[in-house]
Amino acid sequence: MKNILLLHPPLLFYKVRIYNLLYHELMKRGYKLHVWTTHIQEGSDPISFPVIDKAMTIKNFVSIVRGMEISIQINTLSKEANIIAFYCFSICYAKMMKMRSIYYGHGLDLSKRNNTLKISIQNLFHLGFNRLLLYSYDQCKYMWKIHNDKIYIAKNTLILGGYRKLEKIAKTNIKNKYGICEKYIVLFSGRISERKNFHIFLKMFEKYFADSTKIGFVVVGPGMKQEHSYTVSKYHNFHYLGPVYDKPRINDIFHMSDVFCVPGSLGLGIVEAMYWGLPVLTMDVIHGPEAMYIRNGYNGFILENMHEIAKMIFYLFVNPALLSVLGTNARSTVLNEAGIERMFSGFYEVLSSLS
């Protein structure tokens, strides 16, 4: 049995679900996954994989690697400045001890893609790894060619479920549970942050939908500012449900919705939305690697501004046949391209290549 050390600060609830399953799948293949994290998000599922509960220090790293006979480390680079030195040491130590190392993540910060110096520094950092396991092929565009032979892909996704249980339940019944009466629902899900352009979402609502009796806006996620809370509380058809991590409630909310709309940067919300058959509407900004799943006009639309998004929302709700086709295509995309086994196959391949 080969011991793998996964350095992953912090660990969000959806990653706990993924690593629970990955741990058991890797065990079948002769690998034991140990996760060293600085924090585990409150409310996460019970953990089935071994967790290292120690401070991320150089001394502890050396002790763990030696004591547990780690043969492969998987390293996810953190932007937390206080542990950058720790990460650099972990890579250098791995090379010195001839321990195999894998970088796992986005690869490059594409928001800095026009900054030649920063892209070069990130590429230099990747020279220290034996393999690079990236979320999507799109991340390869700004990689140096010297990395090509060591790049593997583990398509970023989620562990999804509940569709068959809920698909026969009328959306109206679910809406009643949350005090929602509008016929059509536009859903915004995710952290309410500047990069997601929530201010544009809210401005679009006030300009085009505030007086609607048939179209409701639902927002799920942490980070609602006080001034925004005051604004949305004035409208009968704007529903802020707060942060939701409970899987049954998440399923409820996505199932009762009709369109998924985040004007700003999108990530794994794309996968969740498409799984539930929701067309994705967004703007042409820098998105996460999950944007690879969007096919403009097939399962969603990437539009120029809030006016085009609003126009498309109205158009879809008066053309239910088109809305249905887009939703069917969205679900098909996720089932065919974003299954959890697609992600795990990347792990199997990269680990096998190091054997």
Side-chain angles (χ1 to χ4, degrees):
M1 185 72 66
K2 293 184 178 180
N3 287 310
I4 301 173
L5 177 62
L6 173 60
L7 301 168
H8 199 302
L11 205 59
L12 301 181
F13 72 96
Y14 72 89
K15 283 292 188 181
V16 171
R17 292 171 183 160
I18 289 173
Y19 293 153
N20 275 340
L21 184 56
L22 180 62
Y23 169 74
H24 293 292
E25 293 302 313
L26 288 179
M27 284 287 284
K28 298 175 185 176
R29 292 163 172 80
Y31 302 98
K32 186 171 183 179
L33 180 69
H34 304 265
V35 180
W36 192 0
T37 180
T38 56
H39 174 71
I40 298 175
Q41 187 174 25
E42 187 176 350
S44 298
D45 290 354
I47 295 172
S48 59
F49 51 85
V51 176
I52 297 172
D53 187 20
K54 290 185 177 181
M56 278 194 178
T57 64
I58 290 173
K59 181 180 179 181
N60 284 341
F61 177 80
V62 174
S63 174
I64 288 166
V65 168
R66 289 180 174 177
M68 298 177 63
E69 297 182 349
I70 299 296
S71 58
I72 300 172
Q73 69 156 317
I74 302 177
N75 196 325
T76 61
L77 177 63
S78 172
K79 294 180 180 178
E80 298 175 40
N82 61 322
I83 58 174
I84 292 295
F86 169 83
Y87 271 106
C88 292
F89 174 83
S90 70
I91 298 164
C92 295
Y93 186 82
K95 291 187 77 68
M96 182 176 67
M97 300 302 293
K98 297 183 179 180
M99 178 174 63
R100 312 296 269 172
S101 60
I102 301 169
Y103 167 84
Y104 173 49
H106 288 84
L108 302 174
D109 181 0
L110 295 186
S111 67
K112 311 294 185 184
R113 66 190 186 281
N114 294 324
N115 188 322
T116 304
L117 177 60
K118 289 191 175 181
I119 290 295
S120 296
I121 290 172
Q122 292 175 58
N123 271 293
L124 282 170
F125 179 83
H126 292 317
L127 290 174
F129 293 97
N130 300 109
R131 299 289 186 271
L132 305 176
L133 186 60
L134 307 182
Y135 289 148
S136 80
Y137 291 102
D138 293 341
Q139 307 304 116
C140 302
K141 185 175 180 181
Y142 296 91
M143 284 285 192
W144 288 347
K145 291 183 179 180
I146 195 172
H147 297 310
N148 287 353
D149 292 340
K150 63 181 183 181
I151 291 176
Y152 290 75
I153 304 298
K155 283 190 171 183
N156 209 25
T157 189
L158 297 167
I159 294 177
L160 301 163
Y163 185 84
R164 291 184 177 180
K165 183 181 292 185
L166 281 176
E167 63 181 341
K168 295 181 180 179
I169 300 177
K171 291 186 177 184
T172 302
N173 294 342
I174 298 176
K175 290 176 187 177
N176 289 339
K177 289 168 57 176
Y178 298 92
I180 297 170
C181 60
E182 290 79 32
K183 182 177 180 179
Y184 299 109
I185 297 298
V186 177
L187 175 64
F188 178 111
S189 177
R191 179 170 293 279
I192 302 169
S193 61
E194 184 176 346
R195 69 186 184 89
K196 290 189 179 293
N197 285 338
F198 180 75
H199 63 289
I200 293 177
F201 182 81
L202 185 54
K203 185 177 179 180
M204 177 181 70
F205 168 80
E206 290 190 288
K207 183 174 179 63
Y208 294 104
F209 300 96
D211 296 328
S212 177
T213 57
K214 292 186 177 181
I215 301 175
F217 275 44
V218 170
V219 174
V220 175
M224 177 74 81
K225 294 181 179 179
Q226 187 173 358
E227 60 266 30
H228 290 159
S229 295
Y230 175 76
T231 299
V232 302
S233 66
K234 299 186 296 183
Y235 301 106
H236 68 91
N237 60 331
F238 197 107
H239 311 275
Y240 176 52
L241 304 183
V244 178
Y245 305 114
D246 178 68
K247 193 62 178 175
R249 287 190 69 204
I250 291 173
N251 290 345
D252 274 353
I253 292 164
F254 275 87
H255 180 52
M256 74 180 180
S257 301
D258 301 284
V259 166
F260 186 76
C261 177
V262 175
S265 180
L266 273 168
L268 284 166
I270 294 171
V271 176
E272 189 97 50
M274 288 189 174
Y275 174 81
W276 287 100
L278 306 185
V280 175
L281 303 183
T282 188
M283 284 168 43
D284 188 10
V285 298
I286 298 174
H287 292 290
E290 299 79 13
M292 64 185 169
Y293 298 122
I294 302 177
R295 272 68 153 172
N296 212 15
Y298 176 76
N299 54 24
F301 292 92
I302 299 175
L303 302 161
E304 289 299 318
N305 52 54
M306 72 172 191
H307 310 292
E308 288 191 7
I309 293 178
K311 184 178 178 180
M312 182 57 66
I313 291 171
F314 283 121
Y315 184 75
L316 292 176
F317 289 162
V318 297
N319 290 275
L322 175 59
L323 180 63
S324 178
V325 169
L326 291 169
T328 299
N329 292 343
R331 180 161 169 79
S332 176
T333 299
V334 165
L335 295 180
N336 293 330
E337 302 177 29
I340 195 66
E341 268 301 321
R342 285 289 189 100
M343 171 188 274
F344 288 175
S345 66
F347 281 89
Y348 309 152
E349 289 172 12
V350 75
L351 291 171
S352 296
S353 75
L354 294 174
S355 299

